[in-house]
Coordinates of all heavy atoms in Angstrom, one line a residue:
M1 N -93.2 -8.2 -25.6 CA -92.5 -6.9 -25.6 C -92.4 -6.5 -24.1 O -93.2 -6.8 -23.3 CB -93.2 -5.8 -26.3 CG -93.1 -6.0 -27.8 SD -93.2 -4.4 -28.6 CE -94.5 -4.8 -29.8
K2 N -91.4 -5.7 -23.8 CA -91.1 -5.2 -22.5 C -90.7 -3.8 -22.5 O -90.1 -3.3 -23.4 CB -90.0 -6.0 -21.9 CG -90.3 -6.9 -20.7 CD -89.1 -7.9 -20.3 CE -88.1 -7.1 -19.5 NZ -87.0 -8.1 -19.2
L3 N -91.1 -3.0 -21.4 CA -90.6 -1.7 -21.3 C -89.3 -1.6 -20.4 O -89.4 -2.2 -19.3 CB -91.7 -0.8 -20.7 CG -92.8 -0.4 -21.7 CD1 -93.8 0.4 -21.0 CD2 -92.2 0.5 -22.8
I4 N -88.4 -0.9 -20.8 CA -87.2 -0.8 -20.0 C -86.9 0.7 -19.8 O -86.9 1.5 -20.7 CB -85.9 -1.5 -20.6 CG1 -86.1 -2.9 -20.9 CG2 -84.7 -1.2 -19.8 CD1 -85.1 -3.6 -21.6
N5 N -86.7 1.1 -18.5 CA -86.4 2.5 -18.2 C -84.8 2.5 -18.2 O -84.1 2.1 -17.3 CB -86.9 2.9 -16.9 CG -86.6 4.3 -16.5 OD1 -85.9 5.0 -17.3 ND2 -87.0 4.8 -15.4
Y6 N -84.3 3.1 -19.3 CA -82.9 3.2 -19.5 C -82.2 4.0 -18.4 O -81.1 3.8 -18.0 CB -82.5 3.7 -20.8 CG -81.9 2.6 -21.7 CD1 -82.7 1.7 -22.3 CD2 -80.5 2.6 -21.8 CE1 -82.1 0.7 -23.0 CE2 -79.9 1.6 -22.5 CZ -80.7 0.6 -23.1 OH -80.2 -0.4 -23.8
T7 N -82.9 5.1 -17.9 CA -82.4 5.9 -16.9 C -82.0 5.1 -15.6 O -81.0 5.3 -15.1 CB -83.4 7.0 -16.6 OG1 -83.8 7.6 -17.7 CG2 -82.7 8.1 -15.7
E8 N -83.0 4.2 -15.3 CA -82.7 3.4 -14.2 C -81.5 2.4 -14.3 O -80.7 2.3 -13.5 CB -84.0 2.5 -13.9 CG -84.0 2.0 -12.5 CD -85.2 1.0 -12.2 OE1 -86.3 1.3 -12.7 OE2 -85.0 0.0 -11.4
K9 N -81.4 1.9 -15.5 CA -80.2 1.0 -15.8 C -79.0 1.8 -15.6 O -78.0 1.3 -15.1 CB -80.3 0.6 -17.3 CG -80.9 -0.9 -17.5 CD -80.9 -1.2 -18.9 CE -79.7 -1.9 -19.3 NZ -79.9 -3.2 -20.0
W10 N -78.9 3.1 -16.2 CA -77.7 3.9 -16.1 C -77.4 4.2 -14.7 O -76.3 4.3 -14.4 CB -77.9 5.1 -16.9 CG -77.9 4.9 -18.5 CD1 -77.3 3.9 -19.1 CD2 -78.5 5.7 -19.5 NE1 -77.5 4.1 -20.4 CE2 -78.2 5.2 -20.7 CE3 -79.2 6.8 -19.4 CZ2 -78.6 5.7 -21.9 CZ3 -79.6 7.5 -20.6 CH2 -79.3 6.8 -21.8
V11 N -78.4 4.6 -13.9 CA -78.2 5.1 -12.6 C -77.5 4.0 -11.8 O -76.5 4.3 -11.1 CB -79.5 5.5 -11.9 CG1 -79.4 5.6 -10.4 CG2 -80.0 6.9 -12.4
W12 N -77.9 2.7 -11.9 CA -77.3 1.7 -11.2 C -75.8 1.5 -11.7 O -74.9 1.3 -10.9 CB -78.1 0.4 -11.4 CG -79.3 0.4 -10.5 CD1 -80.6 0.3 -11.0 CD2 -79.4 0.4 -9.1 NE1 -81.5 0.3 -9.9 CE2 -80.7 0.3 -8.7 CE3 -78.4 0.4 -8.0 CZ2 -81.1 0.4 -7.4 CZ3 -78.9 0.5 -6.7 CH2 -80.2 0.5 -6.4
E13 N -75.6 1.5 -13.0 CA -74.4 1.4 -13.6 C -73.3 2.5 -13.1 O -72.3 2.2 -12.6 CB -74.4 1.5 -15.1 CG -74.5 0.2 -15.9 CD -74.6 0.5 -17.4 OE1 -73.8 1.3 -17.9 OE2 -75.4 -0.2 -18.0
V14 N -73.9 3.7 -13.2 CA -73.0 4.8 -12.9 C -72.7 4.8 -11.4 O -71.6 5.1 -10.9 CB -73.6 6.2 -13.3 CG1 -72.9 7.3 -12.7 CG2 -73.7 6.3 -14.8
L15 N -73.7 4.5 -10.5 CA -73.6 4.4 -9.1 C -72.5 3.4 -8.7 O -71.7 3.7 -7.8 CB -75.0 4.0 -8.5 CG -75.1 4.1 -7.0 CD1 -74.8 5.5 -6.4 CD2 -76.5 3.7 -6.5
E16 N -72.5 2.3 -9.3 CA -71.5 1.2 -9.1 C -70.1 1.8 -9.3 O -69.1 1.7 -8.5 CB -71.7 0.0 -9.9 CG -72.9 -0.8 -9.6 CD -72.8 -1.4 -8.1 OE1 -71.8 -1.8 -7.6 OE2 -73.9 -1.2 -7.4
E17 N -69.9 2.6 -10.4 CA -68.6 3.2 -10.8 C -68.2 4.2 -9.7 O -67.1 4.2 -9.3 CB -68.7 3.8 -12.2 CG -68.7 2.8 -13.3 CD -69.1 3.5 -14.6 OE1 -68.9 4.6 -14.8 OE2 -69.6 2.7 -15.5
V18 N -69.2 5.1 -9.4 CA -68.9 6.2 -8.5 C -68.5 5.6 -7.2 O -67.5 6.1 -6.5 CB -70.1 7.1 -8.4 CG1 -69.9 8.2 -7.2 CG2 -70.3 7.8 -9.7
L19 N -69.2 4.6 -6.7 CA -69.0 4.0 -5.3 C -67.6 3.3 -5.3 O -66.9 3.3 -4.4 CB -70.1 3.0 -4.9 CG -71.4 3.7 -4.5 CD1 -72.4 2.7 -4.2 CD2 -71.3 4.6 -3.3
A20 N -67.2 2.7 -6.5 CA -65.9 2.0 -6.6 C -64.8 3.0 -6.4 O -63.7 2.7 -5.9 CB -65.8 1.2 -7.8
E21 N -65.0 4.2 -6.9 CA -64.0 5.3 -6.8 C -64.0 6.1 -5.5 O -63.1 6.8 -5.2 CB -64.2 6.3 -7.9 CG -63.8 5.9 -9.3 CD -64.4 6.7 -10.4 OE1 -64.8 7.8 -10.2 OE2 -64.5 6.2 -11.6
H22 N -65.1 5.8 -4.7 CA -65.1 6.5 -3.4 C -65.3 5.5 -2.3 O -66.4 5.3 -1.8 CB -66.3 7.5 -3.4 CG -66.2 8.6 -4.4 ND1 -66.5 8.5 -5.7 CD2 -65.6 9.8 -4.3 CE1 -66.3 9.6 -6.3 NE2 -65.7 10.5 -5.5
P23 N -64.2 4.8 -1.8 CA -64.3 3.8 -0.8 C -64.8 4.3 0.5 O -65.2 3.6 1.4 CB -62.9 3.3 -0.8 CG -62.1 4.0 -1.6 CD -62.9 5.1 -2.3
D24 N -64.7 5.7 0.8 CA -65.2 6.2 2.0 C -66.6 6.3 2.1 O -67.2 6.5 3.2 CB -64.5 7.6 2.2 CG -64.8 8.5 1.0 OD1 -64.7 8.1 -0.1 OD2 -65.2 9.7 1.2
V25 N -67.3 6.2 1.0 CA -68.8 6.4 1.0 C -69.4 5.0 1.3 O -69.0 4.0 0.7 CB -69.3 6.9 -0.4 CG1 -70.8 6.9 -0.4 CG2 -68.8 8.3 -0.6
C26 N -70.4 5.0 2.2 CA -71.1 3.7 2.6 C -71.8 3.2 1.4 O -72.5 3.9 0.7 CB -72.0 4.0 3.8 SG -72.9 2.5 4.2
C27 N -71.7 1.9 1.2 CA -72.4 1.3 0.0 C -73.2 0.1 0.5 O -73.4 -0.8 -0.2 CB -71.4 0.9 -1.0 SG -70.1 -0.3 -0.5
C28 N -73.8 0.2 1.7 CA -74.7 -0.7 2.1 C -76.0 -0.7 1.3 O -76.2 0.3 0.6 CB -75.1 -0.6 3.6 SG -76.2 0.8 4.0
E29 N -76.9 -1.7 1.4 CA -78.1 -1.7 0.5 C -78.9 -0.5 0.7 O -79.4 0.1 -0.2 CB -78.9 -3.0 0.8 CG -79.8 -3.3 -0.3 CD -80.6 -4.5 -0.1 OE1 -80.8 -5.0 1.1 OE2 -80.9 -5.2 -1.1
Q30 N -79.2 -0.1 2.0 CA -80.0 1.1 2.3 C -79.5 2.3 1.6 O -80.2 3.1 0.9 CB -80.0 1.3 3.8 CG -80.8 2.5 4.3 CD -82.3 2.4 4.2 OE1 -82.8 1.6 5.0 NE2 -83.0 3.1 3.5
C31 N -78.2 2.6 1.7 CA -77.5 3.8 1.1 C -77.6 3.7 -0.4 O -78.0 4.7 -1.1 CB -76.1 4.0 1.6 SG -76.0 4.5 3.3
R32 N -77.3 2.6 -1.0 CA -77.3 2.4 -2.4 C -78.8 2.7 -3.0 O -78.9 3.4 -4.0 CB -76.9 1.1 -2.9 CG -75.3 1.0 -2.9 CD -74.8 -0.3 -3.5 NE -75.1 -1.4 -2.7 CZ -75.8 -2.5 -3.1 NH1 -76.2 -2.6 -4.3 NH2 -75.9 -3.5 -2.2
Y33 N -79.8 2.2 -2.4 CA -81.1 2.4 -2.8 C -81.6 3.9 -2.6 O -82.3 4.4 -3.4 CB -82.1 1.4 -2.2 CG -82.2 0.2 -2.9 CD1 -81.2 -0.9 -2.8 CD2 -83.1 -0.1 -3.9 CE1 -81.3 -2.1 -3.5 CE2 -83.3 -1.2 -4.7 CZ -82.4 -2.2 -4.4 OH -82.4 -3.4 -5.2
D34 N -81.1 4.5 -1.6 CA -81.4 5.9 -1.3 C -80.8 6.7 -2.4 O -81.4 7.7 -2.9 CB -80.8 6.3 0.1 CG -81.8 6.0 1.3 OD1 -83.0 5.7 1.0 OD2 -81.3 5.9 2.4
M35 N -79.6 6.4 -2.7 CA -78.8 7.2 -3.7 C -79.6 7.0 -5.1 O -79.7 8.0 -5.8 CB -77.4 6.7 -3.8 CG -76.5 7.1 -2.7 SD -75.0 6.1 -2.7 CE -74.4 6.5 -1.1
A36 N -79.9 5.8 -5.5 CA -80.5 5.5 -6.7 C -81.9 6.3 -6.8 O -82.2 6.9 -7.8 CB -80.6 4.0 -6.9
A37 N -82.6 6.2 -5.8 CA -84.0 6.8 -5.7 C -83.9 8.3 -5.9 O -84.6 8.9 -6.6 CB -84.7 6.4 -4.5
L38 N -82.9 8.9 -5.1 CA -82.8 10.3 -5.1 C -82.3 10.8 -6.5 O -82.9 11.7 -7.1 CB -81.6 10.7 -4.2 CG -81.6 12.1 -3.5 CD1 -82.9 12.3 -2.8 CD2 -80.4 12.2 -2.6
A39 N -81.4 10.1 -7.2 CA -80.9 10.5 -8.5 C -82.1 10.3 -9.5 O -82.3 11.1 -10.4 CB -79.8 9.6 -9.0
L40 N -82.8 9.2 -9.4 CA -83.9 8.9 -10.4 C -85.0 9.9 -10.3 O -85.7 10.2 -11.3 CB -84.4 7.4 -10.2 CG -83.7 6.4 -10.8 CD1 -84.0 5.0 -10.3 CD2 -83.8 6.5 -12.4
N41 N -85.3 10.4 -9.0 CA -86.4 11.4 -8.9 C -86.1 12.7 -9.6 O -86.9 13.5 -9.9 CB -86.7 11.7 -7.4 CG -87.5 10.6 -6.8 OD1 -88.3 9.9 -7.5 ND2 -87.4 10.4 -5.5
N42 N -84.8 13.0 -9.8 CA -84.3 14.2 -10.4 C -84.1 14.0 -12.0 O -83.7 15.0 -12.7 CB -83.1 14.8 -9.8 CG -83.4 15.3 -8.4 OD1 -84.5 15.8 -8.2 ND2 -82.5 15.1 -7.5
L43 N -84.3 12.8 -12.4 CA -84.0 12.5 -13.9 C -85.2 12.1 -14.6 O -86.2 11.6 -14.0 CB -83.0 11.4 -14.0 CG -81.5 11.7 -13.6 CD1 -80.8 10.5 -13.3 CD2 -80.8 12.6 -14.7
K44 N -85.3 12.4 -15.9 CA -86.4 12.0 -16.7 C -86.3 10.5 -17.0 O -85.2 10.1 -17.4 CB -86.5 12.8 -18.0 CG -87.2 14.1 -17.9 CD -87.6 14.7 -19.3 CE -86.3 15.2 -19.9 NZ -86.4 15.7 -21.3
P45 N -87.4 9.7 -17.0 CA -87.4 8.4 -17.4 C -87.1 8.3 -18.9 O -87.6 9.2 -19.6 CB -88.7 7.8 -17.0 CG -89.6 9.0 -16.8 CD -88.8 10.2 -16.5
N46 N -86.5 7.3 -19.3 CA -86.3 7.1 -20.8 C -86.7 5.6 -21.1 O -85.9 4.7 -21.1 CB -84.8 7.3 -21.1 CG -84.4 8.7 -21.3 OD1 -84.9 9.4 -22.3 ND2 -83.5 9.2 -20.6
Y47 N -87.9 5.5 -21.4 CA -88.4 4.1 -21.6 C -88.2 3.7 -23.1 O -88.4 4.5 -24.0 CB -89.9 4.1 -21.3 CG -90.2 3.9 -19.8 CD1 -90.6 5.0 -19.1 CD2 -89.9 2.7 -19.2 CE1 -90.7 5.0 -17.7 CE2 -90.2 2.6 -17.9 CZ -90.5 3.7 -17.1 OH -90.7 3.6 -15.8
V48 N -87.7 2.5 -23.2 CA -87.5 2.0 -24.6 C -88.2 0.7 -24.7 O -88.5 0.0 -23.6 CB -86.0 1.8 -24.9 CG1 -85.3 3.1 -25.0 CG2 -85.3 1.0 -23.9
I49 N -88.6 0.3 -25.8 CA -89.2 -1.0 -26.0 C -88.2 -2.1 -26.3 O -87.3 -1.9 -27.1 CB -90.2 -0.9 -27.2 CG1 -91.2 0.2 -26.9 CG2 -90.9 -2.3 -27.4 CD1 -92.0 0.7 -28.1
S50 N -88.3 -3.2 -25.6 CA -87.4 -4.2 -25.8 C -88.2 -5.4 -26.3 O -89.2 -5.8 -25.8 CB -86.7 -4.7 -24.5 OG -86.1 -5.9 -24.6
K51 N -87.8 -5.9 -27.4 CA -88.5 -7.1 -28.1 C -87.5 -8.3 -28.2 O -86.4 -8.0 -28.8 CB -89.0 -6.6 -29.4 CG -90.2 -7.4 -30.0 CD -90.7 -6.8 -31.2 CE -91.8 -7.5 -31.8 NZ -92.3 -6.9 -33.1
H52 N -87.8 -9.4 -27.6 CA -87.0 -10.5 -27.6 C -85.5 -10.1 -27.1 O -84.6 -10.6 -27.7 CB -86.9 -11.2 -29.0 CG -88.2 -11.4 -29.6 ND1 -89.1 -12.3 -29.0 CD2 -88.8 -11.0 -30.7 CE1 -90.2 -12.4 -29.7 NE2 -90.0 -11.6 -30.7
G53 N -85.4 -9.3 -26.1 CA -84.1 -8.9 -25.6 C -83.3 -7.9 -26.4 O -82.3 -7.5 -26.1
Q54 N -84.0 -7.5 -27.6 CA -83.3 -6.5 -28.4 C -83.9 -5.1 -28.2 O -85.1 -5.0 -28.3 CB -83.4 -6.8 -29.9 CG -82.8 -8.1 -30.2 CD -81.4 -7.9 -30.9 OE1 -80.9 -8.8 -31.4 NE2 -80.7 -6.9 -30.8
V55 N -83.0 -4.1 -28.1 CA -83.5 -2.8 -27.9 C -83.3 -2.1 -29.2 O -82.2 -2.2 -29.8 CB -82.8 -2.0 -26.8 CG1 -83.2 -0.6 -26.6 CG2 -83.1 -2.7 -25.4
Y56 N -84.2 -1.3 -29.6 CA -84.0 -0.5 -30.9 C -82.9 0.3 -30.9 O -82.8 1.3 -30.1 CB -85.3 0.2 -31.3 CG -86.5 -0.6 -31.5 CD1 -87.7 -0.6 -30.7 CD2 -86.5 -1.6 -32.6 CE1 -88.8 -1.4 -30.9 CE2 -87.6 -2.4 -32.9 CZ -88.7 -2.3 -32.0 OH -89.8 -3.2 -32.2
T57 N -82.0 0.1 -31.8 CA -80.7 0.8 -31.8 C -80.8 2.3 -31.9 O -80.0 3.0 -31.3 CB -79.7 0.3 -33.0 OG1 -80.1 -1.1 -33.2 CG2 -78.3 0.3 -32.6
K58 N -81.6 2.7 -32.8 CA -81.8 4.2 -33.0 C -82.0 4.9 -31.7 O -81.4 5.9 -31.4 CB -82.9 4.4 -34.0 CG -82.7 5.6 -34.9 CD -83.8 5.6 -36.0 CE -83.8 6.9 -36.7 NZ -84.9 7.0 -37.7
T59 N -83.0 4.4 -30.9 CA -83.4 5.0 -29.7 C -82.3 5.0 -28.8 O -81.9 5.9 -28.1 CB -84.6 4.2 -29.1 OG1 -85.4 3.8 -30.1 CG2 -85.3 5.1 -28.1
K60 N -81.6 3.9 -28.7 CA -80.4 3.7 -27.8 C -79.3 4.7 -28.0 O -78.8 5.3 -27.1 CB -79.9 2.2 -28.0 CG -79.1 1.7 -26.8 CD -78.8 0.3 -27.1 CE -77.6 -0.2 -26.2 NZ -77.3 -1.5 -26.6
M61 N -79.0 5.0 -29.3 CA -78.0 5.9 -29.6 C -78.4 7.3 -29.2 O -77.5 8.1 -28.7 CB -77.7 5.9 -31.2 CG -76.5 4.9 -31.5 SD -76.5 4.7 -33.3 CE -75.9 6.3 -33.9
L62 N -79.6 7.6 -29.4 CA -80.1 8.9 -29.1 C -80.0 9.2 -27.6 O -79.7 10.3 -27.1 CB -81.6 8.9 -29.5 CG -82.2 10.3 -29.9 CD1 -81.9 10.6 -31.4 CD2 -83.7 10.3 -29.7
L63 N -80.3 8.1 -26.8 CA -80.3 8.3 -25.4 C -78.9 8.4 -24.8 O -78.8 8.8 -23.6 CB -80.9 7.0 -24.8 CG -82.4 6.9 -25.1 CD1 -82.9 5.5 -24.5 CD2 -83.2 8.0 -24.5
Q64 N -77.8 8.0 -25.5 CA -76.5 8.1 -25.0 C -76.2 9.5 -24.4 O -75.4 9.7 -23.5 CB -75.4 7.8 -26.0 CG -75.5 6.3 -26.4 CD -75.0 5.3 -25.4 OE1 -74.2 5.7 -24.4 NE2 -75.4 4.1 -25.4
Q65 N -76.7 10.5 -25.1 CA -76.5 11.9 -24.8 C -77.0 12.3 -23.4 O -76.4 13.2 -22.8 CB -77.3 12.8 -25.8 CG -76.9 12.7 -27.2 CD -77.8 13.3 -28.2 OE1 -78.9 13.9 -27.8 NE2 -77.5 13.2 -29.4
N66 N -77.9 11.5 -22.9 CA -78.4 11.9 -21.5 C -77.5 11.3 -20.3 O -77.8 11.5 -19.2 CB -79.9 11.4 -21.4 CG -80.8 12.1 -22.3 OD1 -80.6 13.3 -22.5 ND2 -81.8 11.4 -22.7
K67 N -76.5 10.5 -20.8 CA -75.7 9.9 -19.7 C -75.0 10.8 -18.8 O -74.8 10.5 -17.7 CB -74.8 8.8 -20.4 CG -74.8 7.6 -19.6 CD -74.1 6.4 -20.3 CE -73.8 5.3 -19.3 NZ -73.2 4.1 -19.9
T68 N -74.6 11.9 -19.4 CA -73.9 13.0 -18.6 C -74.8 13.5 -17.5 O -74.3 13.7 -16.4 CB -73.4 14.2 -19.4 OG1 -73.4 13.8 -20.8 CG2 -72.1 14.6 -19.1
D69 N -76.0 13.7 -17.8 CA -77.0 14.1 -16.8 C -77.1 13.1 -15.6 O -77.2 13.5 -14.5 CB -78.4 14.3 -17.3 CG -78.4 15.3 -18.4 OD1 -77.5 16.2 -18.5 OD2 -79.4 15.4 -19.3
V70 N -77.0 11.8 -16.0 CA -77.1 10.7 -15.0 C -76.0 10.9 -14.1 O -76.2 10.8 -12.8 CB -77.2 9.4 -15.7 CG1 -77.2 8.2 -14.7 CG2 -78.5 9.2 -16.5
L71 N -74.7 11.1 -14.6 CA -73.6 11.2 -13.8 C -73.7 12.3 -12.8 O -73.4 12.2 -11.6 CB -72.3 11.2 -14.6 CG -71.0 11.4 -13.8 CD1 -70.8 10.1 -13.0 CD2 -69.8 11.6 -14.7
T72 N -74.2 13.4 -13.3 CA -74.3 14.7 -12.5 C -75.2 14.4 -11.3 O -75.0 14.7 -10.1 CB -74.9 15.8 -13.3 OG1 -74.1 15.9 -14.5 CG2 -74.8 17.1 -12.5
E73 N -76.4 13.7 -11.6 CA -77.4 13.5 -10.5 C -76.9 12.4 -9.6 O -77.2 12.5 -8.3 CB -78.8 13.1 -11.1 CG -79.5 14.2 -11.8 CD -79.7 15.5 -10.9 OE1 -79.9 15.3 -9.7 OE2 -79.7 16.6 -11.5
V74 N -76.3 11.5 -10.1 CA -75.7 10.4 -9.2 C -74.7 10.9 -8.2 O -74.7 10.7 -7.0 CB -75.1 9.2 -10.0 CG1 -74.3 8.3 -9.1 CG2 -76.2 8.4 -10.6
L75 N -73.8 11.8 -8.7 CA -72.8 12.5 -7.9 C -73.5 13.2 -6.8 O -73.0 13.3 -5.6 CB -71.8 13.3 -8.7 CG -70.8 12.5 -9.5 CD1 -70.0 13.4 -10.4 CD2 -69.8 11.7 -8.6
K76 N -74.4 14.0 -7.1 CA -75.2 14.8 -6.2 C -75.9 13.9 -5.1 O -75.8 14.3 -3.9 CB -76.3 15.7 -6.8 CG -75.8 17.0 -7.3 CD -76.6 17.6 -8.4 CE -78.1 18.0 -8.0 NZ -78.8 18.6 -9.2
A77 N -76.5 12.9 -5.5 CA -77.2 11.9 -4.6 C -76.2 11.3 -3.7 O -76.4 11.1 -2.5 CB -78.0 10.9 -5.4
V78 N -75.0 10.8 -4.2 CA -74.0 10.2 -3.3 C -73.5 11.2 -2.3 O -73.5 10.8 -1.1 CB -72.8 9.7 -4.2 CG1 -71.6 9.3 -3.4 CG2 -73.3 8.5 -5.1
G79 N -73.3 12.4 -2.7 CA -72.8 13.5 -1.7 C -73.8 13.7 -0.6 O -73.5 13.8 0.6
K80 N -75.1 13.8 -1.0 CA -76.2 14.0 -0.1 C -76.4 12.9 1.0 O -76.5 13.1 2.1 CB -77.5 14.2 -0.8 CG -78.4 15.3 -0.2 CD -79.5 15.6 -1.1 CE -80.6 16.4 -0.4 NZ -81.8 16.7 -1.3
I81 N -76.4 11.6 0.4 CA -76.6 10.5 1.3 C -75.4 10.3 2.2 O -75.5 9.9 3.3 CB -77.0 9.2 0.5 CG1 -78.2 9.4 -0.3 CG2 -77.0 8.0 1.4 CD1 -79.5 9.6 0.5
H82 N -74.2 10.6 1.6 CA -72.9 10.4 2.4 C -73.0 11.3 3.7 O -72.6 10.9 4.7 CB -71.8 10.7 1.5 CG -70.4 10.5 2.1 ND1 -70.1 9.5 2.8 CD2 -69.4 11.4 2.3 CE1 -68.8 9.6 3.3 NE2 -68.4 10.8 3.0
K83 N -73.4 12.5 3.4 CA -73.6 13.4 4.6 C -74.7 13.1 5.6 O -74.6 13.3 6.8 CB -73.8 14.8 4.0 CG -72.5 15.5 3.7 CD -72.8 17.0 3.3 CE -72.1 17.4 2.1 NZ -72.8 18.5 1.4
N84 N -75.8 12.5 5.0 CA -77.0 12.2 5.8 C -77.4 10.7 5.6 O -78.5 10.5 5.0 CB -78.1 13.1 5.4 CG -78.2 14.3 6.4 OD1 -78.2 14.1 7.6 ND2 -78.2 15.5 5.9
P85 N -76.6 9.8 6.0 CA -77.0 8.4 5.7 C -78.3 8.0 6.5 O -78.5 8.4 7.6 CB -75.9 7.6 6.1 CG -74.9 8.4 6.8 CD -75.4 9.9 6.8
H86 N -79.2 7.2 5.9 CA -80.4 6.8 6.5 C -80.3 5.4 7.2 O -81.2 5.0 7.8 CB -81.6 6.7 5.5 CG -81.9 8.1 4.9 ND1 -82.5 8.3 3.7 CD2 -81.5 9.4 5.3 CE1 -82.7 9.5 3.5 NE2 -82.0 10.3 4.4
H87 N -79.2 4.7 7.0 CA -79.0 3.4 7.5 C -78.9 3.5 9.1 O -78.6 4.6 9.6 CB -77.8 2.8 6.9 CG -76.5 3.5 7.1 ND1 -75.5 3.5 6.2 CD2 -76.0 4.2 8.2 CE1 -74.5 4.2 6.7 NE2 -74.8 4.7 7.9
L88 N -79.1 2.4 9.7 CA -79.0 2.4 11.1 C -77.5 2.0 11.5 O -76.9 1.2 10.9 CB -79.9 1.3 11.7 CG -81.4 1.5 11.4 CD1 -82.2 0.3 11.8 CD2 -81.9 2.7 12.3
E89 N -77.0 2.8 12.5 CA -75.6 2.5 12.8 C -75.3 1.2 13.4 O -76.2 0.7 14.1 CB -75.2 3.6 13.8 CG -75.1 5.0 13.2 CD -74.1 5.2 12.1 OE1 -73.1 4.4 12.0 OE2 -74.3 6.1 11.2
Ligands
LIG101 ZN1 -75.1 2.8 4.5

C-alpha cells in the first residue's frame, strides 16, 4: 500500500495548465517548485490509499470538489512568484 497526496498531484497538474496559458510567466525549475510549495502550504493535504496502483474510487470522487480550491491557490502562487521570482538572473 502507498499513500498519495492528491492535493500535490493536482497542484502539479493545474500548475502545468496555468503556465501553458501564461507564456510570460517564468517556468524554470526554481519558479515551478516555489509556486507548487506556496500553493501546497495554503491547501489541505488529501491523502488517499493506493493499493496495487488502484485508488479507492469513492474517495477520489469526493475529492474532485476540492479541485477549484487548488486552482485558486495555484493562480495566487503564480502571481506572487511572477512578481518576485527567486531564481538567479
Ligand atoms: Zn524562474
Side-chain angles (χ1 to χ4, degrees):
M1 286 211 235
K2 245 171 79 180
L3 282 175
I4 298 173
N5 182 2
Y6 248 82
T7 310
E8 193 182 330
K9 261 180 92 129
W10 286 336
V11 162
W12 285 116
E13 261 179 46
V14 171
L15 187 59
E16 290 302 317
E17 286 167 25
V18 170
L19 287 175
E21 284 165 19
H22 298 84
D24 53 313
V25 174
C26 178
C27 59
C28 74
E29 197 177 30
Q30 174 81 61
C31 286
R32 280 189 289 124
Y33 272 83
D34 277 341
M35 290 163 191
L38 207 62
L40 278 166
N41 281 335
N42 289 324
L43 288 161
K44 268 197 289 178
N46 276 298
Y47 282 100
V48 292
I49 301 162
S50 165
K51 206 174 178 181
H52 308 300
Q54 295 263 198
V55 175
Y56 295 116
T57 332
K58 213 174 168 184
T59 327
K60 203 172 156 186
M61 269 168 69
L62 211 85
L63 293 175
Q64 293 289 340
Q65 297 167 1
N66 294 326
K67 224 170 167 177
T68 340
D69 299 341
V70 174
L71 180 63
T72 311
E73 289 304 328
V74 166
L75 284 172
K76 266 160 67 180
V78 168
K80 213 167 164 183
I81 300 297
H82 181 51
K83 272 185 228 154
N84 264 311
H86 296 163
H87 58 218
L88 298 168
E89 293 295 336

